[in-house]
Structures are given as structure tokens and as C-alpha cells.
Amino acid sequence: MAASKDPRPCSIADTLALVGEKYSLLVLREVCLGNGRFDQLVRNIGAPRDILATRLRRLVDAGILAKHPYSERPRRFEYRPTRAGLELEPVLLTLKEWGDRHLHRDGDLPMVLEHVCGNEFVPVVTCRACGDEVRHEHLAAHPQAPGWTVGGPTAA
Amino acid sequence: MAASKDPRPCSIADTLALVGEKYSLLVLREVCLGNGRFDQLVRNIGAPRDILATRLRRLVDAGILAKHPYSERPRRFEYRPTRAGLELEPVLLTLKEWGDRHLHRDGDLPMVLEHVCGNEFVPVVTCRACGDEVRHEHLAAHPQAPGWTVGGPTAA
DNA sequence: AGGGGAGGGTTGGTTTTTCCAACCTACGTC
DNA sequence: GACGTAGGTTGGAAAAACCAACCCTCCCCT
């Protein structure tokens, strides 16, 4: 499973090591929607049952999901996001937004989110300090590990 | 490559079909940092060269990256994000934020971003309409396709 | 003219994962 | 006592990932 040696140290890579495998983020999507039972996950995600079982174990081990019994005799569980799992929701929201914008330009979205404010929810990523919407040109990257640099201009 | 039949229609799944394979988002990270040359990508990501070549082809086909010649004779390219590619940056930023918070609690982050406002950049996902920071309990999901529902409570 | 290095890949063969259908267990129901 | 439901596990075939080695074009050095 390990790739070549000594890649750039990076929280993105570290996070993807936990949730970057096929189906993992779709599992999180479903549990965030409240569909946390095994057969629901199989149906809604379209994943093979054995792979799904593997992913669920991994996400529980990582503290992203937890099993909640909803029936003793027979013993039945459902999976729910932990607090850490819920904190991954922004990743899902930004992925959804990109897909909505670039892959469904016709306007018939598969899912619409409604915010408590009464409007359709569209995520905007902002700077915690100043509140401005993020723009690539407004960010400067400072690697902390020695030997790792970043390059020049990045515009297309 | 196809999973079982008839999963939930979803922009998240659609987006992950383009950028969800192993290394794809790390490629995007590097090109957003300005490290768009093949050997840089190999070194910084730690991916096998053949897999990387496959991913690059796919990302170019998807309109997320573009090849830019930086030398004729010999012909050399570098990969850069297109506008659509740059618009995926929020996904990277939210992944980074989660990893910073949950995987590097000791405080020694691999990379620090600086916003143009002068402060460390920490992404916050907000509602475009009202500006409030998103919270799971403030969202309601409305699937648009018939037959697809969402479940009950989702709290952990 | 020959050798070496950089850059951007491709190729062949092995190892891992994924996929799929079938099966298993423990109930509860008809 | 046959059938259905929920939540998996198992075995074998197909697909991906992995790795080292190689290729090609050009430049530079001697």
C-alpha cells in the first residue's frame, strides 16, 4: 500500500490516507444524510459488500464513524458520524459544489441543500481572519519541513 | 471500474469519479503550488511514474489540468491547473484543515498558508446567502431524483 | 565522436485490490 | 419449517497499482 519513499509531508495526503480510498467519502455522505445501515449503504453507494465492510472498519478505527446499536436480539447497528466525521462535511460540501457547477451545468442538480436561513445552501470558503472569500492568488504557501519548496506562478 | 448498479445520483460521486483516484488530488495540490513538472510530481507525491502519467492524462482530459510548454527543443511541458482545476482548491483546503486539526494536534503543521490579509489562512465554510459558518444541524437535504430519500437524525 | 545527464515518459512482470456471487448467522414471520 | 431481513464473510476471477528497467530527444562536456 505504501508508495515510493519520502513524499512531501502534508495534511492533505494524511487525510486522504484515511478517507481517500474508493467509496470512503460516499460512506460519509450517506451517514451524514442519516442512512447509516449496511444495506442502505450498499444500495445508495453501489459498493461491493465486502469492500464496504472493509471501509467501515477503517472509518470506525479512524474515529470518523461509530457503530450505534438500534436493536438487541437480533443485534443490529447503524453507523453514524462522530464529531470528527461531521467535521469532514466541508470536504463533501466543496466536492458537491464543484460537481454541481462543472458537471451539472444544465441546472438539474441531483440534490439541493437548504440552509436554516431559508435559502439554498451554497458553500463559500472564506478566510477565518478577514472573512473574504478565498482566491488562489491571495494565498502564499509556507512549507515547514526543510527541503520542501513551492514553485513559481500557478495561473493557467 | 463500474460499481454495482444504480447508486444515488450525486455530485460528490461525480466529482470523485474525476479526482477521487489515488494521487489525483495530490497532483492538484502540487500543480496549485506551482510544481507542475513530471519529475517534481513524482518526487513530491511519491507516486509511481506510470500511475502518475495515467492520472495526468485523465486530469487533462477532464479539463482540470493543462499542459504548458516551457521549452521547445527539447519539447518540455509543465502541468498547470485550469480555472476548473483552481476551483477545486477549496476541496484541498478543507482536507488540509481537517488533517491539521485532527492529525497534527501537536501543532507542528507540515505547511502553513498565509492569506493576503496578513494572517494565517484557515478556511471556514459559510453559507453564500447568509454568511454564517456551516453547521451540520443547519442543513436540510432535498434529493431531486425520485426514489431517493434521506434518513432521520444524524447526530453522533 | 562518445559519454553522461535531464526531462518525460513507456514497458513487462509481479503484487494488491477490487469485484462478484454465493454463503453464513441470528433472529422474526407466515 | 420455509421465507425474509440485516449484516456481514468467503473464494476465485478481473483489474489496478507497483517497481525496475528501458526509451527517446536533446544538451553539454571532452
Side-chain angles (χ1 to χ4, degrees), chain B residues 33-94:
Chain B
L33 290 173
N35 305 127
R37 302 190 184 178
F38 192 84
D39 277 15
Q40 286 178 323
L41 293 169
V42 168
R43 278 192 302 277
N44 295 359
I45 295 171
R49 304 171 74 82
D50 53 346
I51 305 298
L52 190 53
T54 305
R55 295 294 181 273
L56 288 168
R57 261 190 297 270
R58 181 149 180 66
L59 291 170
V60 169
D61 288 353
I64 291 167
L65 302 184
K67 290 171 89 158
H68 287 250
Y70 66 88
S71 149
E72 308 288 335
R73 332 217 45 74
R75 207 108 215 280
R76 296 283 153 76
F77 314 94
E78 73 181 317
Y79 293 89
R80 294 195 200 160
T82 61
R83 169 173 276 265
L86 280 179
E87 290 177 8
L88 274 168
E89 213 173 26
V91 173
L92 299 179
L93 295 172
T94 51

Side-chain angles (χ1 to χ4, degrees), chain A residues 1 22-23 48-51 55 73-74 76:
Chain A
M1 194 167 182
K22 198 171 177 184
Y23 305 119
R49 304 171 75 82
D50 54 345
I51 304 298
R55 296 293 182 271
R73 334 214 45 73
R76 297 282 153 78

